Amino acid sequence: MPRSLGITTLQILAAIRDGNAYGLDIVARTGLPSGTVYPALGRLKGSGLARARWEDQRVAEREGRPRRRYYELTPEGSRALVEGAARVAAAAAGLRNEVRGSV
Amino acid sequence: MAHRVKSGGMARAVVRAAGLLVPRDRRGEWCEEWEAELEVLSGLRRGAAELRAGSEEPSPGAAPPISGPYPGELRFALGAIPHAVWTRTEGWTMDGITLDLRFAWRTLRRAPGFTLVAALTLALGIGANAAVFSLVNGILFRAPPGIAQPERLVQIGRSYDRAPRWDDWSWPALELIGRESQALSGVAGYQAWSFVLGAGADAQEVSGQLVNGSYFGVLGVRPLLGRLIGPDDDVTPGAHPVVVLSYGLWQRHFGADPGVVGRTVSVGAKPYQVIGVTPASFAGPGVVGTPPEMWVPAMQIPPMGGRLPFDQWGWSWINAVGRLRDGVTFEQARASMRLVTARLREASPVNRDIRVLVARGVGLSPDAHRQARQISLLLLGIVGLVLLITCTNVANLFLARGASRATEMGVRMALGAGRGRLTRQLVTESLVLAALAIALAVPIVVSADKLLPLVFPYTLSVPVSADGKVYLFLVGVGILAGILFATAPTWTATARDIGDALRDTRLSGGRTRTRLRDTLVVTQLALSLALVSGATLLERSVLESRAADPGFDVRGLVAGEVSLGPTGRYDAASGRELFRNLLAAARRIPGVHAATLASETPIVGGHSRSTVRPADDPDNQGYEAELVVVGPRYFRTMGIPVLEGRPLRGFDDEPERVVVVNQALARMFWPGQSPVGKEILGGPDAPGWRVVGVAGDVQLRSLRSPARPTVYYPLSQMYSSVMDIHVRTVGATAGAARGLREAVAQVDPALPVSRLVDLRGAMVTSMGETRTIGYLLALFAGLALALAAVGLYGLVSFGVAQRVRELGIRIALGARPRALVGLVLGRGLALAGVGLGVGLGLSILFGRALRGLLFAVSPADLLSLGVASAVLLLTAAVAAWLPARRAARVDAVVSLKRE
């Protein structure tokens, strides 16, 4: 990993953790604007933390809707998410102490 | 429902448009994903709507239950735009861009002279544009500062079935509008006024306003100190000697003394109490003109002709601005003016044809607004032309350099660089250059507030400063210019055949490039011609105006204003006595051989008007004629011819109510008849006035506006406490002006003389706009011409270099050097000829745009066009001849050996 992941990226990684997440779904879960989510997904794909797959055409037809593009984590993605979450949690704890100390 | 359908359609359109940005090989998938998501979203929203409407459960499996808030369709779809941009630029790694930038920087640094010239030229063009934009921005897009909710203010004007007028109202009309208008919460009345602050040696003239009690309330100004003038100050004429100071005056004149409130100061030699100070930001409701620095209740206006204006429907002297009542729209206010119109018509016969109008906003009156907008847009147009010329010039520089870089491009293409890659490289180079130019232009923009007042012919009360909008404009124009001048060279540089490029460029210069360079030079020549002829037109206007006949003799004529009202020590009788003494003292000034008095000075005057009508025509609705009160020997001193009847006599010899009218009024009221012996009605006093003479027309307001109908009243019959002393001298006007001050001080040391003007100077000043824009245009025209000449020079020398072999062969075959010079020169002059043709058309169009500034010159003035064409051809001939000489010196042997 060249750079540590930001909170936004971690949120997106968390949203696709259990697979079967598509763009709109991620937008709804994270509450982030679509203009942030899609380029971030593209970047994650590019850096190999996430991959995308098209849903089977037959499933979509059975449900009477266009096929979806699902996003899921790669093993590196899972690792990055765990590491990132721990880092953010540690930072948050440190911040909490700081704030408590100052008040 | 309809709304959702619409936003769904919009959303799909946004996605489809954004999809065009995506690289073609990925566009299909990209669009499929977005459209699928949109469909799910609209399905979900439909489902939710059905649920809310209490219909059956959505069919199972239609949409998986997902938690979380869903965005609106359009909002969701807008995210497709950054996504598409991201997809397009995904391959552009930062490394690649850095590489491009570094390469561009190195290329530009390798040719520092070229880079500096190109960047400076460009900086001049975009800097001038941004500077003028900051002016336009200040005048047109910014409300006057310090006013609460300026967008809720309206200006109140009127029309009498003629053009609308946005100037003064009479006091009773102002009060009636404030009372009767349901749509307005109040009406502010104000009139610019010049006050004398202090007494004796440190008396100074301060520009301010007479205002009604609603003024500060309507404008929403809160005091910085003390209180402001309010409705309680609107009660009894002459009984409210209070004054509000501006922040600037308080700082300057009172040393920012916080205890100034309550102090007594001398205003026009009368004690006034300071009641408050306005905040620093407030500069009155205007943006053009000297900002007011003190405010005095309108009730303190000095009597005119021995009378006060508060019950006079015929005296128009105060401007009106209203504030919309809360919840009232502008359209409602406009509709409600019908009622006000009806009330005004009932109130006085003077108003029988009046129609009340409202216009949005404050700052500039709609008339002044139009004028200032025209001038500032004209300036913007001129600098736009200059920018276009600088762009063509830089493009030309790039093209010329492109010739030397053709081999480099060819090599890079041969090594496998795609056309797109090269384009990106070249565009990066121009953008780096543009960035350099933008940086160089910043000082021009920053100093705009000092430079612009030199070229803008109006005084601005709002500071012209660069805000975010101006810098945005600067960057935008810079980038646009960068792209503009980069397009042409890029196109030719990459449109070439590799093999062609690798061969010697001197032989195969590339036809596209040559044609493009020709076009650029022709464009430059044409644009320069337009600027040169515009400058010539304005210069000719100024010359014509000097020779123009304003209807009186301007030679050695000096005028200065004396106002008795503010001293409070003179009534009509003692005032006349004083004026008589002043005239006697003025005639004793060395060099002065004639002196007289008048309530208005020609060219700079035209402040008083009153409605008059002929007594013998009951149907005539009257006309607001200029009102001038004159002293003895007025017409003789001024050199205004009395064409019929007799002039007005001195102080005591005019026992009857008599007037002299000008030709314009005579023509209007009694066409084809002699007005002598007729009677006119109206004016401030009801009884009639007998016409005893007809005077020649005089330009009272400015040189450009035609003479307006005017009535001259004798001072003995109509007293005015404000008079301008006019003296005619055989000596220097400056000496006479000084003498006039001294003469007045001898008679009454407390009387200041203000607005001293030399009438010949005033004539020149009244053409100020024409002159300043003319200077500016001449400056830019010179610049443009120089740039065009350089362009033509470069093109012709390039041609000579290209044809050196051909020329060598010609010489070897026995051609005379003179013929060769002619050959090369002919080509340069042919280009100049085409530029001239196109430019003449442009010049006429440009002349039309300048029409408002012209005086006694037609926009298609042959002399101006001829002069401009001659200048252009001469410049072009020199620019082409210098390199053409080289053609004659071509050595046949050397040139043929070179290959």
Side-chain angles (χ1 to χ4, degrees):
Chain A
M1 268 316 297
R3 258 181 291 178
S4 51
L5 301 175
I7 296 201
T8 308
T9 316
L10 288 172
Q11 271 178 292
I12 294 170
L13 281 178
I16 62 174
R17 184 177 39 182
D18 45 1
N20 288 347
Y22 54 97
L24 174 62
D25 188 12
I26 301 165
V27 168
R29 281 195 208 180
T30 57
L32 294 168
S34 51
T36 306
V37 169
Y38 282 92
L41 285 172
R43 266 195 300 277
L44 288 173
K45 257 192 319 176
S47 56
L49 298 185
R51 59 176 163 246
R53 63 178 173 82
W54 281 102
E55 182 183 31
D56 194 288
Q57 185 69 46
R58 277 164 303 178
V59 177
E61 269 169 28
R62 208 166 43 235
E63 304 212 342
R65 53 175 172 74
R67 64 179 181 146
R68 288 180 184 144
R69 199 171 197 197
Y70 286 118
Y71 291 86
E72 59 195 16
L73 289 184
T74 59
E76 297 91 81
S78 303
R79 238 189 337 269
L81 175 61
V82 172
E83 277 168 18
R87 189 166 41 76
V88 170
L95 210 59
R96 229 183 352 258
N97 287 337
E98 286 277 329
V99 173
R100 203 174 293 136
S102 72
V103 172
Chain B
M1 190 68 197
H3 171 73
R4 219 185 49 230
V5 169
K6 205 169 132 199
S7 90
M10 273 281 278
R12 254 181 294 281
V14 167
V15 165
R16 239 164 258 156
L20 295 177
L21 274 176
V22 177
R24 207 169 300 156
D25 52 330
R26 294 162 66 185
R27 197 176 295 158
E29 266 199 340
W30 190 93
C31 286
E32 191 182 350
E33 182 178 3
W34 271 97
E35 277 168 17
E37 307 273 4
L38 263 185
E39 192 156 335
V40 172
L41 186 61
S42 67
L44 278 173
R45 304 210 126 220
R46 216 166 25 242
E50 278 164 11
L51 265 181
R52 268 203 302 279
S55 73
E56 60 194 271
E57 291 278 302
S59 48
I66 302 166
S67 58
Y70 288 96
E73 279 162 76
L74 190 57
R75 206 170 142 216
F76 180 73
L78 284 177
I81 298 170
H83 188 206
V85 170
W86 182 84
T87 317
R88 157 64 63 179
T89 57
E90 195 188 352
W92 299 4
T93 56
M94 208 50 218
D95 292 349
I97 291 173
T98 326
L99 206 67
D100 274 350
L101 283 177
R102 212 179 297 153
F103 189 80
W105 181 239
R106 270 212 307 269
T107 317
L108 291 175
R109 266 194 40 194
R110 236 191 338 244
F114 162 82
T115 306
L116 198 68
V117 168
L120 275 177
T121 316
L122 209 56
L124 208 65
I126 61 179
N129 268 271
V132 171
F133 176 77
S134 72
L135 178 81
V136 177
N137 182 38
I139 292 180
L140 302 184
F141 304 137
R142 271 200 249 171
I147 292 176
Q149 289 186 293
E151 70 284 355
R152 300 286 296 164
L153 293 177
V154 292
Q155 300 194 49
I156 306 169
R158 61 193 186 281
S159 82
Y160 304 91
D161 286 338
R162 262 184 260 119
R165 293 183 34 184
W166 300 96
D167 51 4
D168 323 335
W169 285 91
S170 72
W171 182 267
L174 183 80
E175 290 206 306
L176 185 142
I177 297 168
R179 213 169 43 235
E180 297 290 339
S181 168
Q182 300 300 317
L184 303 177
S185 63
V187 174
Y190 61 95
Q191 176 57 48
W193 205 264
S194 177
F195 299 99
V196 176
L197 181 64
D202 36 82
Q204 59 167 301
E205 209 173 338
V206 176
S207 56
Q209 288 179 337
L210 286 171
V211 301
N212 72 345
S214 315
Y215 177 84
F216 286 108
V218 166
L219 298 182
V221 181
R222 305 202 158 279
L224 181 75
L225 288 179
R227 70 168 181 99
L228 301 176
I229 293 164
D232 294 345
D233 299 307
D234 255 356
V235 185
T236 318
H240 306 278
V242 294
V243 56
V244 170
L245 308 174
S246 78
Y247 183 83
L249 186 66
W250 175 56
Q251 294 270 321
R252 206 175 62 238
H253 197 267
F254 297 93
D257 173 15
V260 72
V261 173
R263 254 172 72 178
T264 301
V265 296
S266 161
V267 176
K270 264 186 159 179
Y272 272 65
Q273 195 188 19
V274 176
I275 56 168
V277 176
T278 57
S281 57
F282 182 63
V287 295
V288 166
T290 318
E293 294 212 291
M294 51 193 276
W295 292 269
V296 165
M299 284 284 146
Q300 298 298 110
I301 191 172
M304 297 158 96
R307 308 179 67 137
L308 285 166
F310 299 109
D311 56 351
Q312 301 286 333
W313 287 91
W315 288 12
S316 305
W317 59 282
I318 192 158
N319 295 287
V321 165
R323 180 174 287 277
L324 298 177
R325 207 179 276 282
D326 285 341
V328 173
T329 65
F330 176 75
E331 280 67 28
Q332 287 167 336
R334 189 158 58 188
S336 81
M337 286 303 137
R338 236 170 288 149
L339 178 80
V340 179
T341 300
R343 291 275 178 278
L344 273 173
R345 289 184 180 187
E346 286 162 19
S348 164
V350 173
N351 301 328
R352 65 186 149 156
D353 300 302
I354 207 167
R355 204 155 53 83
V356 183
L357 311 167
V358 285
R360 266 179 233 270
V362 282
L364 292 165
S365 78
D367 295 334
H369 197 277
R370 201 169 39 239
Q371 241 173 46
R373 189 176 53 204
Q374 271 169 4
I375 297 274
S376 40
L377 289 183
L378 187 65
L379 276 176
L380 209 56
I382 292 173
V383 290
L385 273 185
V386 172
L387 181 66
L388 215 57
I389 292 172
T390 50
C391 277
T392 41
N393 209 58
V394 176
N396 220 335
L397 280 173
F398 259 72
L399 269 180
R401 207 174 59 126
S404 61
R405 285 181 72 183
T407 321
E408 173 205 331
M409 291 297 157
V411 169
R412 294 179 63 186
M413 272 161 107
L415 290 176
R419 204 178 156 186
R421 188 71 191 73
L422 287 185
T423 307
R424 214 176 99 193
Q425 176 56 47
L426 287 170
V427 170
T428 310
E429 263 178 50
S430 5
L431 288 183
V432 168
L433 191 69
L436 210 61
I438 291 172
L440 288 173
V442 166
I444 301 182
V445 178
V446 170
S447 50
D449 59 332
K450 285 178 204 70
L451 297 176
L452 279 171
L454 303 180
V455 295
F456 194 64
Y458 300 105
T459 318
L460 292 175
S461 57
V462 186
V464 176
S465 55
D467 58 2
K469 240 183 280 174
V470 173
Y471 285 108
L472 208 65
F473 182 87
L474 175 69
V475 172
V477 166
I479 289 176
L480 200 72
I483 291 170
L484 208 65
F485 73 74
T487 321
T490 308
W491 180 46
T492 53
T494 59
R496 295 155 54 87
D497 183 52
I498 299 178
D500 202 24
L502 290 177
R503 257 177 265 132
D504 191 337
T505 44
R506 257 171 312 175
L507 286 176
S508 54
R511 190 155 295 163
T512 343
R513 188 194 318 260
T514 315
R515 209 179 310 137
L516 205 62
R517 289 197 69 182
D518 287 357
T519 316
L520 285 178
V521 167
V522 165
T523 312
Q524 276 188 320
L525 290 169
L527 291 174
S528 324
L529 182 69
L531 289 177
V532 173
S533 71
T536 322
L537 276 178
L538 295 185
E539 188 46 45
R540 253 182 56 81
S541 295
V542 173
L543 288 178
E544 287 289 328
S545 78
R546 280 207 188 125
D549 177 16
F552 66 101
D553 188 357
V554 295
R555 285 170 301 172
L557 198 58
V558 174
E561 183 188 292
V562 174
S563 176
L564 310 187
T567 64
R569 285 189 274 116
Y570 297 97
D571 59 10
S574 59
R576 283 198 186 96
E577 188 56 37
L578 178 90
F579 282 132
R580 189 200 302 267
N581 295 338
L582 284 179
L583 269 193
R587 291 201 180 106
R588 285 196 298 269
I589 302 170
V592 165
H593 56 88
T596 187
L597 293 161
S599 62
E600 302 285 346
T601 299
I603 298 182
V604 295
H607 304 102
S608 302
R609 269 159 298 165
S610 100
T611 306
V612 291
R613 56 200 164 87
D616 57 352
D617 183 2
D619 292 335
N620 195 307
Q621 293 163 8
Y623 186 81
E624 269 201 336
E626 306 285 340
L627 181 162
V628 185
V629 179
V630 299
R633 279 184 261 177
Y634 176 74
F635 298 100
R636 200 189 322 154
T637 308
M638 300 297 288
I640 301 171
V642 175
L643 306 163
E644 242 184 278
R646 64 167 176 88
L648 297 168
R649 298 203 188 99
F651 284 108
D652 312 310
D653 327 335
E654 214 62 271
E656 266 186 283
R657 296 166 63 85
V658 294
V659 292
V660 165
V661 299
N662 73 345
Q663 283 174 291
L665 189 107
R667 267 196 305 275
M668 172 177 275
F669 283 174
W670 302 284
Q673 300 177 51
S674 167
V676 175
K678 305 264 188 197
E679 203 181 21
I680 57 169
L681 299 173
D685 291 303
W689 296 82
R690 196 162 52 79
V691 177
V692 294
V694 181
D697 286 343
V698 169
Q699 242 92 24
L700 206 56
R701 283 156 185 257
S702 86
L703 268 187
R704 259 195 299 272
S705 49
R708 282 175 42 89
T710 308
V711 183
Y712 297 96
Y713 297 84
L715 183 64
S716 52
Q717 288 297 321
M718 185 185 288
Y719 175 67
S720 161
S721 64
V722 184
M723 293 295 267
D724 297 349
I725 304 182
H726 292 66
V727 297
R728 191 178 293 284
T729 174
V730 287
T733 50
R738 209 167 38 244
L740 191 56
R741 269 192 202 285
E742 286 163 9
V744 173
Q746 276 166 24
V747 177
D748 182 345
L751 272 185
V753 180
S754 55
R755 296 183 200 165
L756 266 171
V757 285
D758 161 6
L759 269 295
R760 187 192 284 279
M763 249 173 87
V764 176
T765 320
S766 94
M767 292 296 288
E769 304 158 15
T770 305
R771 220 166 29 135
T772 44
I773 296 205
Y775 285 156
L776 188 72
L777 209 51
L779 183 79
F780 283 143
L783 189 74
L785 207 56
L787 291 176
V790 171
L792 188 64
Y793 173 89
L795 193 67
V796 174
S797 2
F798 183 67
V800 171
Q802 240 181 359
R803 292 167 71 183
V804 87
R805 199 168 132 104
E806 176 206 326
L807 293 172
I809 294 173
R810 281 177 189 265
I811 289 176
L813 291 178
R816 293 234 218 104
R818 189 180 285 258
L820 292 185
V821 173
L823 197 70
V824 177
L825 197 61
R827 212 182 103 68
L829 288 182
L831 284 180
V834 178
L836 191 73
V838 179
L840 281 177
L842 273 181
S843 302
I844 291 171
L845 287 180
F846 189 50
R848 290 223 182 127
L850 293 173
R851 183 175 287 171
L853 294 170
L854 299 184
F855 179 83
V857 177
S858 115
D861 178 48
L862 282 181
L863 185 60
S864 301
L865 290 176
V867 167
S869 307
V871 169
L872 184 83
L873 281 181
L874 201 68
T875 316
V878 173
W881 180 70
L882 289 174
R885 272 186 324 174
R886 239 177 297 151
R889 292 200 224 107
V890 167
D891 187 316
V893 180
V894 174
S895 75
L896 291 177
K897 253 191 195 162
R898 243 160 93 173
E899 298 308 316

